[in-house]
Amino acid sequence: MLEAGNNSELPTIPGKRYFTIGEVSELCGVKPHVLRYWEQEFPQLKPVKRRGNRRYYQRQDVLVIRQIRSLLYEQGFTIGGARNRLQGEEARDDVSQAQQIVRQLRTELEEILRILRR
């Protein structure tokens, strides 16, 4: 079991449009085979598939994956429980996703500020 708060140790999501499964694996601390499994279990995960069935995830997918990871690894939900949580009414108000987005924005704004100060 991972410690709570591990999400804050995940790397910042770069400001690009699409991410490969390898990049998402690094960004979310989850192996690629786990990501492929979660795609089958969570209807919210629909990466774009291009040439040769290669997956390309968007920023929103990365945030959802981080939320799934938090529900499963940190909050102790089962796959079914996490799926219900994401599909239920709570999903719209989910505090962990909101906190994640705020952390991400703050990190990006600090980076912009650092660049502007040069």
Side-chain angles (χ1 to χ4, degrees):
M1 188 68 130
L2 296 174
E3 292 176 45
N6 239 1
N7 251 352
S8 60
E9 297 169 20
L10 293 173
T12 302
I13 302 169
K16 54 191 250 186
R17 184 147 185 195
Y18 293 104
F19 302 90
T20 65
I21 194 166
E23 290 170 327
V24 174
S25 172
E26 294 278 321
L27 289 170
C28 297
V30 177
K31 302 239 186 226
H33 71 272
V34 173
L35 293 172
R36 289 189 291 270
Y37 173 68
W38 286 356
E39 283 174 33
Q40 297 170 349
E41 297 296 325
F42 296 94
Q44 300 86 343
L45 283 183
K46 290 272 188 248
V48 178
K49 290 193 180 170
R50 300 245 171 92
R51 278 180 276 124
N53 235 5
R54 284 182 181 228
R55 292 165 167 80
Y56 290 96
Y57 296 86
Q58 295 182 36
R59 177 183 220 84
Q60 184 59 35
D61 294 321
V62 176
L63 291 172
V64 169
I65 291 165
R66 285 184 171 190
Q67 187 176 13
I68 291 168
R69 179 185 184 275
S70 173
L71 289 169
L72 296 176
Y73 297 174
E74 296 167 16
Q75 297 175 45
F77 280 79
T78 61
I79 292 273
R83 187 185 313 116
N84 290 341
R85 177 71 182 260
L86 289 172
Q87 290 174 340
E89 285 301 311
E90 310 98 335
R92 289 181 190 83
D93 306 322
D94 194 286
V95 175
S96 74
Q97 186 173 16
Q99 288 172 337
Q100 220 173 61
I101 292 168
V102 168
R103 272 197 304 270
Q104 179 70 33
L105 282 171
R106 181 178 180 170
T107 305
E108 290 174 11
L109 287 170
E110 286 170 350
E111 176 67 16
I112 291 169
L113 188 58
R114 194 177 60 72
I115 289 168
L116 290 173
R117 286 185 173 152
R118 286 185 191 165

